[in-house]
Amino acid sequence: MPAFSYEAIDDNGLTVKGTIEADSPEAAEHILAAQGYIPTKVMARSKKSYAASGSFWGRLQASMNSVKVTELIVFTKQFHSMMKAGVPIVRLFQVLEAQTINPTLRRAFTQMIADIRQGSTLCGAMEKHPAIFSPLYQSMIKAGEASGTVTEVLERLTYIIEHEAKIKSDLKAALQYPATVLVALGVAFIVLLTFVIPKFIQIFKGAGLELPVPTKIAISMYEFLNNYWALLLGGAIAAVFALRSYFKTVGGRLFLDRLLLALPLVGPLFQKAALSRFASIFAILQASGVHVMTALEIVSATIGNKAISNQLDQVREKVREGQGLAQPLRSAKYFTPMVVDMIAIGEESGNIDEMLREVTAHYDDEVNYEVKAISEAIGPILMVGLAAVVGFFAMAIFLPMWDLTKIAK
């Protein structure tokens, strides 16, 4: 969003200066007026300033000012409580603006106050801040405004944001331990290879021993690493950047998501987490009065997995043709028979949102079970890996040492 430098007069008649983000100079003046200032000069910032925002420090500042999930949850809960108490919408955002610490949220509230005073809807005001309010958030607020149930929608939004945060936390918990151990194993391997093995190479070569196979392998790896470490490091960095660039493309993201779903241990965890997300979001959208086509579009954009998203897009086209929802889902690879059958029952009985809530509860439990199963399975696997690394270096060092003791005798 463009930034503007401004000069304005405050309540005490003093001149204040600063910068403000807005879509246009007129919008910046409205925001300043909503804050109680009288704007006297509003100018676009120089190109040099914009370039600075793209620098490392600019990106760092932007990341520091981003809105965390916990802050969005607190905002939604406070919004719901004040709406339920009948606080006028402008006054509500003035209170939120005064008490929020996050500068990004404060700026958003300021602009939203100005937009609402000019006659904008709540959803229209939120649409200008996509970095804070996701398409799901905006669509549900829009449905709530159309049906007069914004308070109920905010309560459902609180649940779904907390639910999403819990799913992500469970996934991180499942992957954090093995990732940490693997990094530690890699570091230990490199340290042993570069600092321990070289100390014994000269001893073994000077003794004229016939070195065993593990020792020869260790020496070969050390020499290769010592001679080509710059090439290996450069290749690793280039590979990381190349993969990151590739995974940002549509095809790369599709390949990565399909790979994650196909992995033996974590694949089922990712699938069940995605099914839980699908069921919870779709159920709440249906209960909020969002049309099924719009709901499928929103779920496809927020499911978090490109492979499943592509299948939902295909399902949406078949639903558009009048095939219903359950039947197209039967041909979708990643949707289990339980999900399809529950949706079919919901379509027949007219309570599809209730059936999907049951699916959400079931797969939430499944995710918890998968996290425990992965933790239990990863432990022995990592122990075997650790034993293999330690055993290899022990054989590489102590087998020649054993031969040396024989010679000494």
PDB file of all heavy atoms in Angstrom, residues 393-407:
ATOM      1  N   PHE A 393      31.684 -44.488  12.792  1.00  0.00           N
ATOM      2  CA  PHE A 393      32.907 -43.778  13.179  1.00  0.00           C
ATOM      3  C   PHE A 393      33.697 -44.563  14.223  1.00  0.00           C
ATOM      4  O   PHE A 393      34.938 -44.502  14.249  1.00  0.00           O
ATOM      5  CB  PHE A 393      32.565 -42.382  13.698  1.00  0.00           C
ATOM      6  CG  PHE A 393      32.270 -41.398  12.604  1.00  0.00           C
ATOM      7  CD1 PHE A 393      30.979 -41.003  12.334  1.00  0.00           C
ATOM      8  CD2 PHE A 393      33.294 -40.890  11.819  1.00  0.00           C
ATOM      9  CE1 PHE A 393      30.704 -40.112  11.316  1.00  0.00           C
ATOM     10  CE2 PHE A 393      33.029 -39.993  10.797  1.00  0.00           C
ATOM     11  CZ  PHE A 393      31.721 -39.601  10.534  1.00  0.00           C
ATOM     12  N   ALA A 394      32.995 -45.309  15.064  1.00  0.00           N
ATOM     13  CA  ALA A 394      33.698 -46.141  16.051  1.00  0.00           C
ATOM     14  C   ALA A 394      34.520 -47.223  15.341  1.00  0.00           C
ATOM     15  O   ALA A 394      35.693 -47.461  15.687  1.00  0.00           O
ATOM     16  CB  ALA A 394      32.689 -46.775  16.997  1.00  0.00           C
ATOM     17  N   MET A 395      33.912 -47.851  14.332  1.00  0.00           N
ATOM     18  CA  MET A 395      34.642 -48.879  13.582  1.00  0.00           C
ATOM     19  C   MET A 395      35.800 -48.270  12.790  1.00  0.00           C
ATOM     20  O   MET A 395      36.887 -48.848  12.708  1.00  0.00           O
ATOM     21  CB  MET A 395      33.684 -49.604  12.639  1.00  0.00           C
ATOM     22  CG  MET A 395      32.638 -50.448  13.342  1.00  0.00           C
ATOM     23  SD  MET A 395      31.472 -51.183  12.186  1.00  0.00           S
ATOM     24  CE  MET A 395      32.555 -52.281  11.288  1.00  0.00           C
ATOM     25  N   ALA A 396      35.539 -47.063  12.197  1.00  0.00           N
ATOM     26  CA  ALA A 396      36.577 -46.422  11.402  1.00  0.00           C
ATOM     27  C   ALA A 396      37.792 -46.063  12.236  1.00  0.00           C
ATOM     28  O   ALA A 396      38.929 -46.058  11.730  1.00  0.00           O
ATOM     29  CB  ALA A 396      36.008 -45.166  10.736  1.00  0.00           C
ATOM     30  N   ILE A 397      37.611 -45.790  13.514  1.00  0.00           N
ATOM     31  CA  ILE A 397      38.719 -45.357  14.378  1.00  0.00           C
ATOM     32  C   ILE A 397      39.307 -46.527  15.166  1.00  0.00           C
ATOM     33  O   ILE A 397      40.521 -46.718  15.227  1.00  0.00           O
ATOM     34  CB  ILE A 397      38.246 -44.251  15.340  1.00  0.00           C
ATOM     35  CG1 ILE A 397      37.901 -42.986  14.542  1.00  0.00           C
ATOM     36  CG2 ILE A 397      39.313 -43.952  16.386  1.00  0.00           C
ATOM     37  CD1 ILE A 397      37.244 -41.905  15.359  1.00  0.00           C
ATOM     38  N   PHE A 398      38.436 -47.355  15.743  1.00  0.00           N
ATOM     39  CA  PHE A 398      38.938 -48.348  16.693  1.00  0.00           C
ATOM     40  C   PHE A 398      39.444 -49.638  16.033  1.00  0.00           C
ATOM     41  O   PHE A 398      40.259 -50.336  16.623  1.00  0.00           O
ATOM     42  CB  PHE A 398      37.857 -48.688  17.727  1.00  0.00           C
ATOM     43  CG  PHE A 398      37.618 -47.574  18.691  1.00  0.00           C
ATOM     44  CD1 PHE A 398      36.434 -46.855  18.676  1.00  0.00           C
ATOM     45  CD2 PHE A 398      38.592 -47.215  19.621  1.00  0.00           C
ATOM     46  CE1 PHE A 398      36.215 -45.811  19.550  1.00  0.00           C
ATOM     47  CE2 PHE A 398      38.376 -46.168  20.507  1.00  0.00           C
ATOM     48  CZ  PHE A 398      37.189 -45.470  20.473  1.00  0.00           C
ATOM     49  N   LEU A 399      38.989 -49.956  14.818  1.00  0.00           N
ATOM     50  CA  LEU A 399      39.538 -51.139  14.151  1.00  0.00           C
ATOM     51  C   LEU A 399      41.028 -50.969  13.850  1.00  0.00           C
ATOM     52  O   LEU A 399      41.843 -51.864  14.132  1.00  0.00           O
ATOM     53  CB  LEU A 399      38.743 -51.443  12.876  1.00  0.00           C
ATOM     54  CG  LEU A 399      37.362 -52.081  13.096  1.00  0.00           C
ATOM     55  CD1 LEU A 399      36.657 -52.287  11.769  1.00  0.00           C
ATOM     56  CD2 LEU A 399      37.494 -53.419  13.830  1.00  0.00           C
ATOM     57  N   PRO A 400      41.453 -49.835  13.275  1.00  0.00           N
ATOM     58  CA  PRO A 400      42.909 -49.642  13.092  1.00  0.00           C
ATOM     59  C   PRO A 400      43.659 -49.541  14.420  1.00  0.00           C
ATOM     60  O   PRO A 400      44.811 -49.984  14.518  1.00  0.00           O
ATOM     61  CB  PRO A 400      42.999 -48.326  12.318  1.00  0.00           C
ATOM     62  CG  PRO A 400      41.667 -48.161  11.678  1.00  0.00           C
ATOM     63  CD  PRO A 400      40.692 -48.764  12.628  1.00  0.00           C
ATOM     64  N   MET A 401      43.038 -48.935  15.417  1.00  0.00           N
ATOM     65  CA  MET A 401      43.671 -48.850  16.730  1.00  0.00           C
ATOM     66  C   MET A 401      43.909 -50.246  17.296  1.00  0.00           C
ATOM     67  O   MET A 401      44.944 -50.518  17.938  1.00  0.00           O
ATOM     68  CB  MET A 401      42.813 -48.028  17.681  1.00  0.00           C
ATOM     69  CG  MET A 401      42.688 -46.556  17.294  1.00  0.00           C
ATOM     70  SD  MET A 401      44.214 -45.637  17.501  1.00  0.00           S
ATOM     71  CE  MET A 401      44.337 -45.579  19.283  1.00  0.00           C
ATOM     72  N   TRP A 402      42.997 -51.146  17.053  1.00  0.00           N
ATOM     73  CA  TRP A 402      43.140 -52.519  17.517  1.00  0.00           C
ATOM     74  C   TRP A 402      44.328 -53.180  16.824  1.00  0.00           C
ATOM     75  O   TRP A 402      45.117 -53.907  17.460  1.00  0.00           O
ATOM     76  CB  TRP A 402      41.852 -53.279  17.230  1.00  0.00           C
ATOM     77  CG  TRP A 402      41.886 -54.726  17.633  1.00  0.00           C
ATOM     78  CD1 TRP A 402      42.027 -55.803  16.817  1.00  0.00           C
ATOM     79  CD2 TRP A 402      41.765 -55.246  18.954  1.00  0.00           C
ATOM     80  NE1 TRP A 402      42.016 -56.962  17.543  1.00  0.00           N
ATOM     81  CE2 TRP A 402      41.855 -56.639  18.872  1.00  0.00           C
ATOM     82  CE3 TRP A 402      41.628 -54.666  20.220  1.00  0.00           C
ATOM     83  CZ2 TRP A 402      41.769 -57.466  19.992  1.00  0.00           C
ATOM     84  CZ3 TRP A 402      41.533 -55.501  21.332  1.00  0.00           C
ATOM     85  CH2 TRP A 402      41.615 -56.883  21.208  1.00  0.00           C
ATOM     86  N   ASP A 403      44.472 -52.912  15.515  1.00  0.00           N
ATOM     87  CA  ASP A 403      45.633 -53.467  14.796  1.00  0.00           C
ATOM     88  C   ASP A 403      46.930 -52.874  15.307  1.00  0.00           C
ATOM     89  O   ASP A 403      47.970 -53.574  15.359  1.00  0.00           O
ATOM     90  CB  ASP A 403      45.477 -53.174  13.302  1.00  0.00           C
ATOM     91  CG  ASP A 403      44.327 -53.950  12.676  1.00  0.00           C
ATOM     92  OD1 ASP A 403      43.922 -54.963  13.261  1.00  0.00           O
ATOM     93  OD2 ASP A 403      43.818 -53.513  11.613  1.00  0.00           O
ATOM     94  N   LEU A 404      46.920 -51.595  15.682  1.00  0.00           N
ATOM     95  CA  LEU A 404      48.120 -50.955  16.236  1.00  0.00           C
ATOM     96  C   LEU A 404      48.549 -51.620  17.534  1.00  0.00           C
ATOM     97  O   LEU A 404      49.748 -51.796  17.810  1.00  0.00           O
ATOM     98  CB  LEU A 404      47.880 -49.470  16.460  1.00  0.00           C
ATOM     99  CG  LEU A 404      48.010 -48.535  15.241  1.00  0.00           C
ATOM    100  CD1 LEU A 404      47.622 -47.118  15.602  1.00  0.00           C
ATOM    101  CD2 LEU A 404      49.445 -48.573  14.723  1.00  0.00           C
ATOM    102  N   THR A 405      47.587 -51.946  18.380  1.00  0.00           N
ATOM    103  CA  THR A 405      47.936 -52.606  19.653  1.00  0.00           C
ATOM    104  C   THR A 405      48.558 -53.980  19.400  1.00  0.00           C
ATOM    105  O   THR A 405      49.431 -54.410  20.152  1.00  0.00           O
ATOM    106  CB  THR A 405      46.678 -52.750  20.531  1.00  0.00           C
ATOM    107  OG1 THR A 405      45.689 -53.514  19.822  1.00  0.00           O
ATOM    108  CG2 THR A 405      46.108 -51.397  20.910  1.00  0.00           C
ATOM    109  N   LYS A 406      48.115 -54.643  18.340  1.00  0.00           N
ATOM    110  CA  LYS A 406      48.697 -55.963  18.013  1.00  0.00           C
ATOM    111  C   LYS A 406      50.156 -55.808  17.593  1.00  0.00           C
ATOM    112  O   LYS A 406      51.032 -56.614  17.945  1.00  0.00           O
ATOM    113  CB  LYS A 406      47.898 -56.623  16.899  1.00  0.00           C
ATOM    114  CG  LYS A 406      46.525 -57.120  17.334  1.00  0.00           C
ATOM    115  CD  LYS A 406      45.816 -57.792  16.168  1.00  0.00           C
ATOM    116  CE  LYS A 406      44.456 -58.314  16.610  1.00  0.00           C
ATOM    117  NZ  LYS A 406      43.719 -58.946  15.470  1.00  0.00           N
ATOM    118  N   ILE A 407      50.417 -54.759  16.771  1.00  0.00           N
ATOM    119  CA  ILE A 407      51.780 -54.512  16.333  1.00  0.00           C
ATOM    120  C   ILE A 407      52.676 -54.172  17.503  1.00  0.00           C
ATOM    121  O   ILE A 407      53.843 -54.601  17.612  1.00  0.00           O
ATOM    122  CB  ILE A 407      51.813 -53.378  15.298  1.00  0.00           C
ATOM    123  CG1 ILE A 407      51.083 -53.819  14.024  1.00  0.00           C
ATOM    124  CG2 ILE A 407      53.219 -52.947  14.964  1.00  0.00           C
ATOM    125  CD1 ILE A 407      50.929 -52.718  12.982  1.00  0.00           C
TER     126      ILE A 407
END
